[in-house]
Amino acid sequence: VEQRTKELQHVNKELETEIDERIQAVHLLQKSELQFRMLTTSLPIGVFETDSQGYFVYTNQTCNQILDHSRGQEADAHWLRWFHPHDRLIIEQDVEQARSACMSQARDFCLNRPSSSERWVRLRLGQISSGQQTRYIGTIEDKIGRASCRERV
C-alpha cells in the first residue's frame, strides 16, 4: 500500500506539472491572439482569409470598410462578389496561379460596393495549406485618387 501511494503521489505531481504547463500555454496563446487582433484592427490595409471555396473566414475592420461590408456577413459572403465583373476572371486566374505556384499575386482592381460606389484597390493574394485544407489570405488596399473604374474599362 505504501509503494502504491508513493507511485500515485508521483503520478499526481506529474499531472499537476502538466496542467500548469497547459494553463501557461493557454495564457500565452490568448496573449498572442489578443496581440494579433490588436495589430490587424490597427492596420491601414484590409486583411482577409477565405476558405478553399472563397468564402470569408476572417476580415479585419479596414477590409470591411473598404468593401463596405458588415461584420458577421462572412459566412455567406464570397469575396469575388465585390469585384467588377471584368476583373473577376483575372482574379480567378491569379488565384489559380497562386494555388499552383504557391506564390502571391498583387494587382489593382475595381470594386463594386453595396453602396454602389466604385473604388480602386490593390489586391494581394496568397495561400495557406495545412494538411489537406487550403485557405487563401489577402490584403486589400484602397487606391484613392486613381482614375474612376469606368475610365479604365
Side-chain angles (χ1 to χ4, degrees):
V1 174
E2 216 174 285
Q3 179 64 25
R4 183 67 180 144
T5 301
K6 286 182 182 180
E7 289 172 4
L8 290 173
Q9 287 173 340
H10 178 71
V11 169
N12 196 23
K13 281 213 182 279
E14 287 178 350
L15 284 173
E16 287 175 359
T17 301
E18 185 178 333
I19 289 169
D20 289 342
E21 289 171 355
R22 287 184 184 201
I23 288 171
Q24 187 176 19
V26 166
H27 288 303
L28 289 172
L29 182 60
Q30 289 171 338
K31 182 180 175 184
S32 177
E33 185 173 339
L34 178 62
Q35 183 180 15
F36 169 78
R37 298 287 178 210
M38 287 174 29
L39 284 171
T40 60
T41 299
S42 303
L43 284 172
I45 61 172
V47 176
F48 66 90
E49 178 184 2
T50 72
D51 62 17
S52 61
Q53 302 301 310
Y55 291 91
F56 284 124
V57 174
Y58 172 79
T59 55
N60 74 347
Q61 182 177 348
T62 304
C63 183
N64 292 332
Q65 290 169 347
I66 291 170
L67 296 175
D68 199 14
H69 173 255
S70 300
R71 296 272 316 149
Q73 289 181 330
E74 287 91 348
D76 62 346
H78 194 283
W79 73 282
L80 282 177
R81 83 176 195 179
W82 274 273
F83 291 91
H84 194 279
H86 296 284
D87 290 334
R88 289 182 190 153
L89 181 61
I90 296 167
I91 295 170
E92 287 172 344
Q93 291 170 348
D94 284 353
V95 169
E96 188 56 41
Q97 285 179 345
R99 180 182 298 141
S100 63
C102 294
M103 57 185 273
S104 64
Q105 301 286 330
R107 289 188 201 239
D108 292 349
F109 294 105
C110 185
L111 288 178
N112 283 334
R113 298 170 350 134
S115 64
S116 75
S117 63
E118 295 178 330
R119 181 179 272 190
W120 273 103
V121 295
R122 160 88 18 147
L123 177 68
R124 289 182 181 86
L125 295 173
Q127 85 174 31
I128 302 173
S129 294
S130 58
Q132 294 181 357
Q133 216 176 35
T134 300
R135 292 183 178 271
Y136 296 93
I137 56 169
T139 60
I140 189 166
E141 183 179 3
D142 199 349
K143 303 301 274 185
I144 294 175
R146 305 271 312 230
S148 75
C149 294
R150 286 189 191 101
E151 290 174 17
R152 188 190 114 194
V153 179

